[in-house]
Amino acid sequence: MQSGLYVGISSQIALERRLNTIADNMANMNTVGFRSTEVKFDEVLSKTQNDINAKIAFVTQGNDYLSTRTGELQRTGNPLDFAIKGNAWFAIDTPAGQVLTRDGRFTMDETGQLRSSRGYPVLDAGGAPIQLNREAGPPTVGADGIIMQNDQPVATLGLFTADISKGFNRYENEGVIFVDNPQPVLEGMENSVVQGYVEQSNVNGIREMTQLIQVNRAFEGISALMRDSETSMNDAIKTLGGSNG
């Protein structure tokens, strides 16, 4: 009977983890470039100490991973707004070091440096801040990320990839710090830049609400089973105690 309680507790911990990710996803439905968090749960088998070596299945706390679904591209017409087709990321220089982001709402500061929506320098493929000429007019950017001013190439938007399966940490919602070292995308058309567009959050509100309902129902169901199991155990203890008396 104790095993049933342990299994129920492990399930509740897993459901709470999923509930937290759903809440975070819902809170960032309108965050530009946000990639939703999913959770993968594994089953752990444990043998009970009895004659038949029965196996009890527990649920792990789960591992977070980022959804690779692309959010909807919204046209803005702003020459300093950019979106990525593919699974690459822009890079920005922050107090925490290099951070990857899908938020391509950039601005040009008074010195001509390209900056993110939060004011961080945008980096090229070599990891250096991108410097533009404020006097040369709005830049044009091709699918390969090359930035042109006055029909001359002046810089290249850095595109980076990383192995998301090795883990990550959020940075200010739309930013991500990967455990794996990001690698610059040097060539190929699997990833390309689109000027005058931004990528919306890839959170599907209806899907998240459906999962929220399912998780709440599962939590309530497990809680009821645990109460029944505890009641049965208490009744058994009372019965055994009475027979010994």
Side-chain angles (χ1 to χ4, degrees):
M1 293 184 185
Q2 292 265 358
S3 297
L5 291 175
Y6 294 147
V7 171
I9 291 172
S10 77
S11 297
Q12 286 187 326
I13 292 173
L15 289 171
E16 183 180 21
R17 178 78 172 270
R18 186 68 189 105
L19 190 63
N20 289 336
T21 61
I22 292 173
D24 186 54
N25 290 342
M26 293 292 289
N28 287 282
M29 280 185 58
N30 297 316
T31 300
V32 174
F34 183 84
R35 286 274 170 107
S36 63
T37 305
E38 307 292 342
V39 183
K40 178 183 179 183
F41 297 104
D42 296 317
E43 184 181 69
V44 178
L45 297 179
S46 174
K47 288 185 178 180
T48 59
Q49 295 181 356
N50 54 41
D51 294 335
I52 61 174
N53 286 327
K55 292 183 177 180
I56 305 299
F58 295 90
V59 180
T60 64
Q61 293 186 20
N63 296 311
D64 293 349
Y65 67 95
L66 286 179
S67 167
T68 57
R69 295 189 308 273
T70 301
E72 180 183 354
L73 300 189
Q74 179 180 10
R75 179 177 174 82
T76 66
N78 186 337
L80 292 178
D81 282 344
F82 304 98
I84 299 174
K85 286 186 176 180
N87 281 317
W89 303 73
F90 298 117
I92 54 178
D93 186 22
T94 76
Q98 188 184 83
V99 172
L100 301 188
T101 181
R102 300 278 294 190
D103 183 357
R105 296 173 297 168
F106 300 149
T107 59
M108 193 188 311
D109 68 14
E110 63 277 1
T111 68
Q113 194 171 85
L114 198 63
R115 293 186 175 270
S116 72
S117 61
R118 294 183 183 267
Y120 302 124
V122 180
L123 305 179
D124 61 18
I130 294 175
Q131 186 69 42
L132 303 178
N133 182 359
R134 286 189 62 88
E135 306 302 322
T140 58
V141 180
D144 54 4
I146 295 178
I147 303 174
M148 307 281 291
Q149 286 187 297
N150 290 334
D151 297 325
Q152 296 293 323
V154 293
T156 303
L157 276 173
L159 297 184
F160 294 81
T161 59
D163 185 352
I164 63 177
S165 66
K166 293 184 179 179
F168 69 95
N169 291 301
R170 295 278 187 189
Y171 187 83
E172 295 181 342
N173 294 342
E174 67 273 15
V176 180
I177 300 175
F178 289 101
V179 173
D180 183 46
N181 289 326
Q183 300 298 317
V185 176
L186 300 178
E187 59 183 16
M189 293 304 295
E190 290 141 0
N191 299 284
S192 59
V193 177
V194 183
Q195 187 176 18
Y197 287 80
V198 293
E199 179 186 356
Q200 298 301 309
S201 168
N202 73 347
V203 175
N204 184 320
I206 296 176
R207 178 174 177 269
E208 295 296 329
M209 283 299 298
T210 301
Q211 291 192 353
L212 179 62
I213 294 171
Q214 292 173 343
V215 168
N216 282 330
R217 287 177 176 173
F219 200 94
E220 292 170 358
I222 292 170
S223 297
L225 288 173
M226 290 176 65
R227 286 195 298 269
D228 291 344
S229 178
E230 187 175 6
T231 299
S232 298
M233 184 169 60
N234 290 336
D235 291 344
I237 291 172
K238 291 178 182 178
T239 301
L240 291 173
S243 62
N244 288 334

